């Protein structure tokens, strides 16, 4: 592939939103020692992708400009680096790129073997691309942070999932229901049936007084909250938690970090736990296996060709997707 060009969507500096995206032709990358070159079939956008462009991780991510955004992909292996052991040309895979380098809004990209897993035929490319960041986040927040055993062997726990219609939330509801849980979920009125169909036991419209107060209709107190949206203060969570309830906050702002510190310093049994995804291959294997077994489904909000990736970017910034936004080269 050396010397051949491919279509990408990239940006040259922080800020600019959709107007900052540029469609350009660049050389197809060459895989390094432990990398595979993929012809991409589908790329998924996550909220973090537009936040990087906005500058929330400045000056560490991106590590250089121009930057091709997006990290979650499905594709077909074209070439393998000399140190790659487990893949060969023609293999269908799901992969995640590091946010430092990005690379997903393109026709081709290189992935580390260490964050690449086979895509079984039961999972479409679009469904596979939806999985990495969002389902891994849901999986780790539930299992590691909230201590829920997904084989159902743990003690019964009441879980609240906010923004259950979104990318992370819709996976979190399905995964939580694999454990021994009662799930209360929040979403907008138009998505109540969607979230019930994912398995939630109770669903509250976040724009109603009950939704704003996060009150479970049956009066449950929560052992764990997987908090997938922003703008809800600790004072709203606090009265709804059990004695040892935890709020796992996926987007902790300054006030959440303050609450985290105060709760730690005062040895409070109720806690706020800031969450940061550290992706590992074992986790990716686990979610792909669950998807293969039909236990974890990707809801596709919309699909957009790479030539119209700008529409997908706008939709992602809007924050009203139901499930995952997919771009197809
Ligand atoms: N810490 C980490 O490592 C990590 C990893 C992954 C994601 N995240 C963060 O987690 C958050 C969620 O990501 P995502 O991909 O799931 O977002 P998303 O897909 O953009 O979420 C969109 C959904 O959220 C719903 N929603 C918005 N505000 C709501 C509210 N107040 N109550 C209930 N539902 C609400 C929307 O419903 P309507 O359309 O009805 O408004 C929409 O269906 C983002 O901030 C993301 O950056 C963090």
């Amino acid at each position: 592939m050396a010397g051949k060009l491919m279509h990408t969507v990239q940006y040259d500096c922080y800020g600019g939103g959709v107007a900052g995206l540029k469609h350009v032709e660049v050389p197809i990358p060459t895989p390094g020692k432990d990398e595979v070159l993929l012809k991409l079939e589908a790329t998924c956008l996550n909220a973090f992708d537009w936040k990087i462009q906005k500058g929330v991780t400045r000056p560490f991510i991106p590590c250089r400009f121009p930057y091709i955004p997006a990290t979650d992909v499905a594709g077909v292996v074209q070439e393998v680096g000399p140190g790659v052991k487990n893949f060969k040309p023609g293999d269908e895979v799901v992969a995640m790129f590091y946010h430092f380098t990005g690379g997903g809004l393109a026709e081709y990209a290189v992935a580390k073997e260490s964050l690449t897993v086979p895509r079984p035929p039961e999972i479409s490319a679009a469904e596979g691309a939806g999985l990495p960041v969002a389902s891994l986040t849901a999986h780790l927040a539930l299992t590691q942070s909230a201590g829920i055993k997904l084989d159902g062997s743990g003690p019964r726990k009441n879980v609240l999932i906010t923004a259950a219609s979104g990318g992370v939330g819709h996976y979190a509801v399905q995964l939580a229901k694999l454990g021994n849980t009662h799930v209360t979920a929040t979403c907008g009125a138009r998505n109540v049936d969607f979230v019930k169909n994912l398995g939630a036991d109770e669903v509250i419209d976040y724009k109603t007084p009950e939704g704003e107060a996060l009150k479970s209709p049956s009066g449950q107190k929560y052992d764990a909250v997987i908090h997938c949206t922003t703008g809800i203060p600790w004072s709203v969570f606090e009265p709804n938690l059990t004695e040892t309830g935890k709020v796992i906050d996926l987007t902790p702002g300054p006030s959440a970090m303050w609450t985290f510190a105060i709760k730690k310093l005062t040895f409070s049994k109720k806690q706020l736990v800031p969450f940061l995804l550290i992706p590992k291959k074992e986790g990716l294997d686990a979610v792909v296996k669950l998807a293969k077994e039909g236990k974890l489904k990707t809801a596709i909000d919309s699909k957009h060709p790479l030539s119209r990736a700008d529409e997908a970017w706008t939709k992602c910034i809007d924050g009203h997707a139901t499930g995952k936004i997919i771009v197809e080269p």
Side-chain angles (χ1 to χ4, degrees):
M1 294 283 179
K4 287 196 178 161
L5 296 180
M6 66 172 184
H7 179 181
T8 69
V9 179
Q10 62 186 35
Y11 53 83
D12 299 328
C13 59
Y14 291 112
V18 72
L21 300 182
K22 292 183 179 158
H23 291 253
V24 294
E25 301 277 315
V26 301
I28 294 175
T30 303
K33 184 168 174 273
D34 57 349
E35 292 177 337
V36 292
L37 173 68
L38 304 179
K39 183 174 190 340
L40 300 182
E41 298 174 288
T43 297
C44 174
L45 296 184
N46 289 289
F48 199 47
D49 295 324
W50 67 260
K51 292 180 187 179
I52 291 173
Q53 185 198 29
K54 200 177 165 202
V56 298
T57 50
R58 181 185 210 145
F60 306 108
I61 305 175
C63 60
R64 75 178 75 88
F65 291 114
Y67 178 75
I68 301 172
T71 56
D72 295 6
V73 301
V76 182
V77 175
Q78 302 296 298
E79 291 175 14
V80 299
V84 170
K85 294 191 177 69
N86 298 313
F87 296 101
K88 59 181 187 320
D91 286 349
E92 294 181 329
V93 299
V94 170
M96 183 180 162
F97 309 139
Y98 289 109
H99 287 102
F100 296 102
T101 50
L105 285 186
E107 290 177 294
Y108 293 84
V110 288
K112 295 279 181 204
E113 183 181 23
S114 57
L115 276 182
T116 301
V117 299
R119 173 171 71 80
E122 292 84 353
I123 309 172
S124 72
E127 289 164 340
L131 289 169
V133 164
S135 74
L136 273 180
T137 296
H139 190 274
L140 292 174
L142 285 162
T143 55
Q144 290 187 0
S145 306
I148 292 164
K149 292 188 189 303
L150 300 192
D151 60 3
S153 65
R156 187 159 176 80
K157 292 201 178 184
N158 284 325
V159 181
L160 170 68
I161 296 165
T162 61
S165 51
V168 179
H170 92 291
Y171 287 129
V173 173
Q174 298 175 70
L175 291 169
K177 286 310 297 175
L178 297 177
N180 183 12
T181 62
H182 177 281
V183 171
T184 305
T186 71
C187 64
R190 71 194 168 89
N191 282 316
V192 167
D193 286 343
F194 167 73
V195 173
K196 276 191 184 151
N197 286 331
L198 295 172
D201 299 288
E202 302 187 89
V203 183
I204 354 174
D205 172 358
Y206 75 92
K207 290 185 177 154
T208 61
E210 298 73 29
E212 282 174 17
L214 301 177
K215 290 244 173 291
S216 147
S218 61
Q220 314 274 342
K221 299 263 183 196
Y222 309 118
D223 298 297
V225 179
I226 308 299
H227 182 31
C228 306
T229 183
T230 54
I232 302 176
W234 175 258
S235 57
V236 174
F237 289 116
E238 209 276 335
N240 292 299
L241 297 175
T242 59
E243 283 285 291
T244 54
K246 284 182 184 176
V247 176
I248 321 300
D249 193 339
L250 303 191
T251 317
S255 118
M257 293 309 287
W258 177 250
T259 303
F260 161 67
I262 293 291
K263 297 291 152 199
K264 277 274 170 210
L265 289 170
T266 57
F267 301 101
S268 167
K269 287 186 180 161
K270 296 184 184 181
Q271 286 177 17
L272 186 143
V273 181
F275 179 91
L276 180 65
L277 173 65
I278 299 173
K280 296 214 170 106
K281 187 170 180 142
E282 303 83 79
L284 207 46
D285 274 325
V287 291
V288 168
K289 181 167 178 283
L290 289 170
K292 174 183 158 73
E293 292 167 354
K295 294 176 180 166
L296 184 64
K297 297 207 162 69
T298 299
I300 310 265
D301 172 89
S302 50
K303 289 184 180 175
H304 310 258
L306 184 61
S307 58
R308 301 214 322 248
D310 313 49
E311 292 168 9
W313 199 253
T314 302
K315 210 166 203 302
C316 192
I317 293 173
D318 282 350
H320 292 293
T322 301
K324 303 302 301 174
I325 300 166
I326 303 294
V327 175
E328 294 177 320

